[in-house]
Amino acid sequence: MADIRTGAGNVDYLDLGPVRVSTTPRTPDPGPDRYQLALVTGGLVLCDTSHPYEPGATPPRTVVLQLPRTALPFRPERVDRLLAQRIPATRGTGAALAQFLGSIGAHAHGCGERELARLGSAALGLATACLAERLDVYDDLPAEAREEALLRQIDTYIEHNLGDPELTPGAVAARHHISLRRLHLLFQDRPAGVAATIRGRRLAGARADLLRSGPRARPVHSIASRWGFSSTAVFTRAFRRAYGTSPTELRRKRVARKVNDPCAQRTFLRPAPA
């Protein structure tokens, strides 16, 4: 089970299976034999937990990705060449990884166990591809590893652009400089295709918003816009097809349940049969 710890309204620690994300390199103790990629102003910096930290080397509340040395398909002596070096985050996988780390805290609260595990795999794939580029061995990665890294970049791009109504399979393919056919081939072994993946993640995010109450609750039209739906009507139809109820009905049931059962913390809703 993923471990999420928060402080002062921010996510301070995420255990995402193969990797961990924290806002400081010392909390919790990462243990030996792990690399840490710290997101700092202007890029990323790679550290090794087997070496002592220099005082003040990392500013407070820096987002840090912790990953086991054994999780990387590179010889340690090669990776060690990158220690304490600034890795640019303005293009390629460095930019994708930096964007991912910079926004993961905002998304963690709305994620289920499977989504958090997917985020962990995505983080590891992006970190592997980023370091491979810096070591100039990206082309030496097995074809399967390169495909996986590309998929993780695409996953991250989709995840962080769900609110853009122009996010389509064609836009995703163009952004990653691949053909639409290749994009569809990358998704052929997944449960859903590109368009269905985008729609499903939008609907899941919208559902999480609908289940919130209090000051954080948004009106239905605002939720539809936030998750990239062109109109409230389009959102309502898609939501009903996926979950068997309308957004307004779901919210009404949520409120009614809370009134009748103040201890209720969560509403479980299964998608409607296809």
Side-chain angles (χ1 to χ4, degrees):
M1 180 176 292
D3 183 9
I4 302 178
R5 305 178 194 175
T6 62
N10 299 296
V11 172
D12 283 339
Y13 175 69
L14 285 169
D15 187 340
L16 302 176
V19 301
R20 304 168 186 168
V21 177
S22 61
T23 53
T24 68
R26 297 176 183 265
T27 307
D29 184 359
D33 299 323
R34 298 182 77 87
Y35 288 115
Q36 295 189 130
L37 271 166
L39 178 61
V40 298
T41 303
L44 300 148
V45 174
L46 181 69
C47 304
D48 185 340
T49 59
S50 300
H51 300 291
Y53 288 103
E54 293 295 331
T58 306
R61 298 208 66 79
T62 294
V63 180
V64 177
L65 174 67
Q66 304 173 7
L67 58 159
R69 293 169 66 98
T70 55
L72 296 175
F74 314 118
R75 295 194 304 273
E77 58 269 22
R78 298 196 71 173
V79 182
D80 287 350
R81 300 174 192 169
L82 302 178
L83 292 178
Q85 291 187 24
R86 185 68 58 92
I87 299 173
T90 55
R91 62 176 181 81
T93 52
L97 180 58
Q99 182 186 45
F100 178 90
L101 293 177
S103 58
I104 189 172
H107 295 282
H109 288 295
C111 291
E113 294 293 328
R114 293 177 64 183
E115 292 173 304
L116 289 170
R118 188 174 69 232
L119 288 175
S121 296
L124 179 57
L126 285 171
T128 301
C130 177
L131 296 177
E133 281 189 350
R134 295 301 297 171
L135 293 169
D136 199 23
V137 295
Y138 188 85
D139 290 339
D140 294 339
L141 290 175
E144 182 178 342
R146 294 199 304 273
E147 293 276 289
E148 181 67 16
L150 177 58
L151 256 178
R152 296 307 177 188
Q153 290 182 63
I154 291 170
D155 273 335
T156 301
Y157 179 76
I158 290 174
E159 197 74 32
H160 295 294
N161 290 277
L162 291 172
D164 181 359
E166 301 299 321
L167 181 68
T168 63
V172 173
R175 175 64 177 80
H176 292 86
H177 309 291
I178 60 176
S179 68
L180 189 57
R181 181 177 181 276
R182 186 182 178 199
L183 176 64
H184 287 306
L185 287 174
L186 286 170
F187 276 73
Q188 68 180 354
D189 293 329
R190 292 193 165 192
V194 189
T197 295
I198 293 171
R199 182 173 60 252
R201 293 186 189 178
R202 281 173 168 161
L203 288 169
R207 177 180 173 273
D209 278 355
L210 287 164
L211 293 177
R212 293 191 178 98
S213 58
R216 300 180 66 188
R218 294 170 176 259
V220 172
H221 70 85
S222 176
I223 291 173
S225 177
R226 181 190 183 200
W227 292 101
F229 291 94
S230 58
S231 70
T232 304
V234 170
F235 169 51
T236 298
R237 286 195 297 271
F239 195 90
R240 187 183 290 278
R241 283 196 299 269
Y243 296 112
T245 188
S246 73
T248 302
E249 290 167 348
L250 173 63
R251 176 162 280 174
R252 186 182 302 121
K253 291 174 184 176
R254 167 69 168 173
V255 172
R257 182 179 178 185
K258 289 195 71 174
V259 170
N260 295 326
D261 181 7
C263 295
Q265 296 295 318
R266 192 172 184 181
T267 296
F268 293 92
L269 180 65
R270 297 182 182 277

